[in-house]
Amino acid sequence: MSTFKKMMEKTALPLFSNKTILISTGSDAMTEKSKTEKAKISWKSKDCLGLRGVSRDEIELVLNTARSMKEIHSRTVKKVPPLRGKVAVSLFYEPSTRTRTSFELAATRLSADVISIAASTSSVVKGETIIDTANNLRVMGTDVIIMRHNLAGAPHHLARNIDIPVINAGDGTNEHPTQALLDMFTIREHKGQLEGLTVAIVGDIIHGRVAHSDMWGLLTMGAKVRFVGPPTLIPESVKDFGVEVYHNLDEALEGVDVINMLRIQRERMTKNFFPSSKEYSRIFGLNMERLKRCKPGVLVMHPGPINRGVEIDSDVADCKSSVILEQVTNGIAVRMALLYLLVSGEKETHEKTTDSTPSLFE
Amino acid sequence: MGRKPKENSMNILIQNARVLNPAAGADQTADILIEDGRIAKIGPSIRAKEAKAIDATGLWLLPGLIDIHVHLREPGFEGKETIQSGTRAAAAGGITSLACMGNTNPPIDNQTGVDFILERVAATGIVRVYPVGAITKGMESCEIAPIGEMVEAGAVAICDEQGIMDSQVMRRAMEYSTIFHIPVLSHAEDFALSQDGFIHEGQMAVKLGLISQPAEAEAIQVARDLLLAKKTGAQVHITHISTAESVDLLRFYKKKGVNATGETAPHYLLLTDESTEDFNTNAKVNPPLRTKEDQDALFEGLRDGAIDCIASDHFPWSCEDKNVEFPMAPSGVIGLETLLPVMMNQILERSGMELAPLLRLVTDKPAKILGIPGGVLQEGEPADLTLWDPAPRYKIDKNQFYSKSKNTLFDGWEMKGRVARTFVGGKLVYDYDKGFLE
């Protein structure tokens, strides 16, 4: 047995091999029958660029892996070795506190070395293309690039031009897949499943990368999605994908299991998407009165950072129904899962080579 | 018009070709005699001892194509295309006349600019090139450019490639242009609606999370320019029509007697916003690729005459220009070398049109819009001819292009038939087997 496998057993993680995990199709209490129905599932792409086109099996794989990862969080020593010797680079072309910290903690807990690069300007302004920047990092031994960019499609552009995994940590107005994965993880923890649930996503849909990733993920998982906001912020074509569109918050909240309030960016006002944050708050803000009319057990979510008093009132953000801080905790588990699935693949071959090659460092 | 009279004086007899003259609906197997750069005779079994005979059995002889919307990029962007490389690409595509747009660096907005283009054409070009001047100085949409001196120097039309938002400027330009009897080419785009949008507003924009622009950004300006044409009596030509509404508007105002014409491009006929999948920057064009419904309306426009011609809107960009993040990528595709093949294959098939009316869209009709010769196979006309070999089956390979740029959307498309030879003014300028004949 390789050192790697021994280490994995000590961590009480399920025994993974080559990005493939055995998952049960039934509940946690595995019957003999369900054990035999175990399906061999793997994350298909080299990268994680978005949730559009990602299969239900793949999403379940990440969520199930994240469950094991979350367990590590409750330990006194919050660190396991599967990415030992790997290098993760977070390449952020746009400021971020939560997502970046979350990714870096996730990689650190898996024992990867983490390098963090804040690129203040877009590659074009800087004069070097993101491909060149990333290739420089690659030849320095980087195993995965976690990238945030202000332009939609930037991680896709990079992923096409580089042979190491790229994880999208938010690309402009397009997607933010790990946020949606942690949203789904959180919902599943509370509701047991995603299939058949109704999720209202309220706010700036047109510019909302969280809204987009949530939509693709939730629809794939069999949930119903309602987009709520002024028509200026919801593209007409979302209806073609099976999303219900509401312009009245009270109607939209009827019977929903989850409410996801999106951050409203103040700069949208200057472009006439809505007249003022005061008016937005009045029409689309979530207050206690509205929450009380919702179905019992409704979950209140928010990807952060919160504009208290704009899209969500303080008492709602801090109430019992709110799982906003749980989302943040779960974000680490989900990102650990994804990093593990994308990066640990060649680990064993790597170990074997070092085993067979005498080394000064053995 | 011939540049090398000595060679042109050599007489050529093309024998036994399928001779197509779309303007007259003529389709016959015949010989064609070229004397002094002109078509001297068309008919069966012509005898001409002095002429060099070319056996064209099994080949089709068409009027050389006329492409009225081409960006040759010279001066200023010679790394992407030059007059030399662009006219070679045109010849290889069976195009014998083209109108080149003036959005170069500097823009062609005065006589010197037009002179420069024509001098470079004379020195390096191998097909006929007709310069299009700017409507406004510097293409800045403020002051009208010296249209008169440009026309005198050889400009055949005027166009501001980035469009003119100020309706007063457009109105004055149209009124003023009527002195010179040249068309005003309208780049119809309402920037307030389009400026933030990278692709067409529809399903694909949702899929890619890209900020988009509505079809109305084009149609609103089409409506404006048709209204201004009606008011001023100017000859207006709407370039690169991409939306159903624009076709309807053009049809409507033509019926009202407005002196207007319009063009579309193969990519709008054959591709939709679906091509932008995976942030494919080659599919970034302006106006953006639209929907199946728009395509159907464009084809309807071709069939009923609402749209007058098809132009390539050949717009070369280097691989470095295009291999960037989608929102940063410049708009445009090349098309000189694929225009005739896609016309003869995919466009012919999808339009359901007969060959002759379809070919008129790239021969006599565009010639008439610009008031330039060519586009017909008639005795006495300049011998601008394209020999088409209908037999070979192959796939488009962008690496075989003569254009300096490779930003095509038709790479890998299956074609039947290719350009075998191209004659300009009776001179063989391109031969598929031998390349260019200097």
Side-chain angles (χ1 to χ4, degrees):
Chain A
M1 186 181 283
S2 73
T3 358
F4 168 66
K5 283 187 179 171
K6 275 183 216 153
M7 287 189 298
M8 289 303 293
E9 281 200 339
K10 274 185 222 152
T11 65
L13 275 165
L15 196 60
F16 307 129
S17 69
N18 264 342
K19 291 193 211 174
T20 304
I21 183 171
L22 300 177
I23 59 162
S24 75
T25 48
S27 65
D28 285 348
M30 245 194 259
T31 61
E32 277 307 308
K33 190 166 177 278
S34 70
K35 273 181 192 166
T36 59
E37 284 170 1
K38 282 171 184 174
K40 218 179 184 190
I41 309 292
S42 65
W43 184 266
K44 292 192 188 79
S45 166
K46 165 175 83 76
D47 316 286
C48 174
L49 303 174
L51 292 191
R52 182 169 68 94
V54 174
S55 69
R56 192 167 174 153
D57 283 345
E58 289 171 282
I59 292 172
E60 275 179 357
L61 170 67
V62 177
L63 300 185
N64 291 339
T65 310
R67 201 154 37 177
S68 312
M69 296 298 179
K70 194 176 177 181
E71 186 269 325
I72 296 163
H73 184 70
S74 58
R75 299 185 197 173
T76 42
V77 179
K78 297 179 175 59
K79 201 159 185 170
V80 288
L83 299 192
R84 199 182 58 150
K86 299 282 185 186
V87 178
V89 169
S90 70
L91 183 57
F92 275 53
Y93 287 86
E94 203 182 63
S96 151
T97 314
R98 190 185 342 265
T99 304
R100 180 182 192 141
T101 312
S102 181
F103 263 114
E104 292 180 4
L105 274 174
T108 310
R109 283 190 185 169
L110 293 170
S111 300
D113 297 316
V114 178
I115 306 293
S116 158
I117 296 169
S120 54
T121 55
S122 111
S123 57
V124 173
V125 178
K126 208 168 65 182
E128 185 179 53
T129 69
I130 54 174
I131 300 168
D132 287 335
T133 307
N135 267 319
N136 277 276
L137 296 167
R138 180 182 60 81
V139 297
M140 285 191 253
T142 300
D143 297 286
V144 59
I145 290 175
I146 299 150
M147 183 184 186
R148 169 165 289 192
H149 204 285
N150 58 318
L151 298 175
H156 306 68
H157 169 62
L158 175 59
R160 259 200 304 270
N161 289 285
I162 199 163
D163 58 7
I164 55 173
V166 176
I167 297 177
N168 181 1
D171 64 322
T173 51
N174 181 28
E175 284 219 45
H176 191 353
T178 56
Q179 178 69 42
L181 287 165
L182 76 88
D183 289 349
M184 289 191 283
F185 183 86
T186 308
I187 297 169
R188 214 173 66 157
E189 272 200 327
H190 284 269
K191 301 287 182 187
Q193 58 172 14
L194 293 159
E195 173 112 42
L197 296 181
T198 303
V199 181
I201 301 173
V202 186
D204 183 353
I205 306 301
I206 204 162
H207 305 97
R209 54 194 176 205
V210 176
H212 300 152
S213 290
D214 273 343
M215 166 176 75
W216 302 122
L218 288 166
L219 291 175
T220 302
M221 298 307 285
K224 290 192 193 77
V225 177
R226 293 179 182 175
F227 279 157
V228 194
T232 47
L233 290 175
I234 304 180
E236 185 72 17
S237 300
V238 293
K239 289 177 189 162
D240 300 342
F241 301 99
V243 173
E244 293 175 17
V245 173
Y246 289 81
H247 304 306
N248 178 311
L249 182 58
D250 293 303
E251 282 173 22
L253 295 184
E254 264 174 46
V256 298
D257 301 286
V258 180
I259 310 167
N260 194 1
M261 301 302 298
L262 302 179
R263 176 183 167 78
I264 276 298
Q265 298 193 335
R266 283 158 201 273
E267 70 254 31
R268 304 289 177 226
M269 279 181 279
T270 60
K271 290 210 165 178
N272 291 321
F273 289 101
F274 56 93
S276 70
S277 54
K278 190 174 156 221
E279 175 149 320
Y280 182 86
S281 179
R282 182 197 294 262
I283 303 176
F284 295 106
L286 187 59
N287 54 33
M288 207 37 109
E289 200 191 322
R290 279 179 168 138
L291 184 65
K292 277 181 185 158
R293 287 200 294 266
C294 288
K295 195 163 145 182
V298 69
L299 292 184
V300 174
M301 306 178 79
H302 193 298
I306 301 174
N307 286 313
R308 288 175 184 263
V310 182
E311 69 267 2
I312 189 166
D313 279 4
S314 268
D315 51 351
V316 176
D318 303 329
C319 77
K320 272 204 296 191
S321 303
S322 164
V323 292
I324 295 172
L325 287 174
E326 276 179 51
Q327 289 175 268
V328 178
T329 310
N330 291 339
I332 300 178
V334 162
R335 290 175 178 122
M336 284 171 78
L338 199 60
L339 280 165
Y340 175 77
L341 292 167
L342 288 180
V343 183
S344 72
E346 316 85 359
K347 180 74 189 178
E348 281 185 278
T349 32
H350 177 71
E351 291 273 331
K352 273 175 204 156
T353 17
T354 46
D355 280 352
S356 57
T357 319
S359 160
L360 288 173
F361 305 105
E362 287 273 86
Chain B
M1 264 176 293
R3 276 178 312 281
K4 294 180 180 173
K6 251 190 178 174
E7 284 179 47
N8 279 349
S9 65
M10 184 169 67
N11 299 340
I12 297 173
L13 180 64
I14 300 171
Q15 292 176 307
N16 210 25
R18 178 186 175 188
V19 178
L20 291 157
N21 184 18
D27 182 350
Q28 55 176 328
T29 301
D31 295 352
I32 187 160
L33 178 66
I34 303 169
E35 278 178 4
D36 300 326
R38 290 186 177 267
I39 299 169
K41 202 174 175 191
I42 304 172
S45 311
I46 298 171
R47 294 184 61 178
K49 275 184 197 166
E50 301 297 307
K52 186 192 170 199
I54 293 174
D55 179 12
T57 308
L59 304 182
W60 303 0
L61 190 68
L62 327 169
L65 266 61
I66 292 173
D67 185 347
I68 66 168
H69 197 144
V70 176
H71 300 264
L72 293 177
R73 310 310 302 277
E74 184 178 349
F77 307 96
E78 291 85 350
K80 310 176 204 306
E81 197 80 281
T82 59
I83 287 166
Q84 182 176 46
S85 65
T87 56
R88 273 161 177 69
I95 295 160
T96 53
S97 292
L98 61 87
C100 72
M101 294 297 158
N103 58 336
T104 45
N105 185 17
I108 305 305
D109 62 354
N110 58 30
Q111 181 188 335
T112 312
V114 177
D115 286 345
F116 173 82
I117 298 289
L118 292 174
E119 280 161 23
R120 294 295 294 160
V121 171
T124 66
I126 64 165
V127 302
R128 296 181 206 277
V129 174
Y130 296 93
V132 175
I135 297 174
T136 62
K137 289 174 189 162
M139 291 196 178
E140 285 169 353
S141 303
C142 295
E143 300 168 46
I144 298 173
I147 300 164
E149 71 173 40
M150 289 194 289
V151 170
E152 206 170 303
V156 293
I158 49 171
C159 181
D160 268 17
E161 266 291 320
Q162 47 273 65
I164 292 176
M165 274 293 279
D166 188 323
S167 302
Q168 182 69 291
V169 172
M170 194 54 155
R171 180 219 161 133
R172 298 269 192 256
M174 282 194 196
E175 280 178 324
Y176 189 70
S177 74
T178 57
I179 311 173
F180 311 103
H181 308 287
I182 50 151
V184 177
L185 312 189
S186 157
H187 172 104
E189 179 178 358
D190 182 326
F191 290 95
L193 282 173
S194 72
Q195 63 186 354
D196 294 327
F198 304 112
I199 63 170
H200 173 70
E201 185 173 319
Q203 287 186 12
M204 227 29 230
V206 171
K207 285 183 175 180
L208 297 175
L210 283 169
I211 302 301
S212 55
Q213 54 168 286
E216 288 72 17
E218 173 181 311
I220 284 171
Q221 289 296 76
V222 169
R224 183 202 69 175
D225 287 348
L226 291 169
L227 283 166
L228 289 176
K230 183 163 173 272
K231 168 142 197 77
T232 61
Q235 183 194 344
V236 168
H237 174 74
I238 312 289
T239 61
H240 45 54
I241 292 172
S242 70
T243 85
E245 287 81 0
S246 303
V247 182
D248 288 342
L249 285 163
L250 184 56
R251 185 183 290 118
F252 179 80
Y253 281 101
K254 277 180 161 184
K255 274 190 192 143
K256 280 185 170 280
V258 173
N259 189 5
T261 52
E263 99 209 359
T264 189
H267 42 281
Y268 297 117
L269 291 164
L270 299 175
L271 297 158
T272 65
D273 57 352
E274 295 281 318
S275 294
T276 49
E277 181 59 281
D278 204 25
F279 297 94
N280 176 13
T281 56
N282 274 336
K284 194 175 174 190
V285 289
N286 187 26
L289 297 174
R290 309 282 185 187
T291 65
K292 169 79 171 49
E293 290 69 39
D294 292 300
Q295 289 185 328
D296 292 344
L298 292 173
F299 276 110
E300 187 54 39
L302 295 183
R303 282 189 293 267
D304 71 9
I307 297 175
D308 303 85
C309 68
I310 297 175
S312 68
D313 197 2
H314 179 83
F315 207 130
W317 290 103
S318 72
C319 297
E320 289 75 23
D321 293 325
K322 282 285 192 179
N323 193 19
V324 294
E325 302 88 330
F326 192 91
M328 303 299 293
S331 296
V333 290
I334 56 170
L336 287 171
E337 289 165 86
T338 49
L339 178 63
L340 186 54
V342 297
M343 289 284 295
M344 290 293 209
N345 287 275
Q346 290 81 6
I347 295 176
L348 180 68
E349 194 186 315
R350 267 197 69 181
S351 68
M353 292 168 76
E354 296 294 321
L355 192 55
L358 187 74
L359 286 174
R360 291 191 66 188
L361 300 169
V362 286
T363 53
D364 69 302
K365 283 186 162 188
K368 193 175 164 223
I369 292 168
L370 293 185
I372 59 175
V376 286
L377 280 191
Q378 229 161 263
E379 287 170 13
E381 290 291 322
D384 293 358
L385 308 166
T386 296
L387 260 183
W388 174 257
D389 181 351
R393 286 178 183 277
Y394 63 101
K395 282 184 182 171
I396 298 277
D397 177 0
K398 63 180 177 184
N399 296 313
Q400 302 291 315
F401 284 165
Y402 292 103
S403 170
K404 279 192 172 188
S405 293
K406 313 293 170 203
N407 52 313
T408 176
L409 282 168
F410 299 123
D411 190 41
W413 282 40
E414 287 188 23
M415 296 296 157
K416 186 168 181 286
R418 68 160 61 99
V419 173
R421 288 176 191 193
T422 307
F423 300 85
V424 177
K427 183 193 164 197
L428 180 62
V429 294
Y430 169 77
D431 181 319
Y432 175 76
D433 297 317
K434 294 175 193 157
F436 301 104
L437 300 125
E438 302 296 331

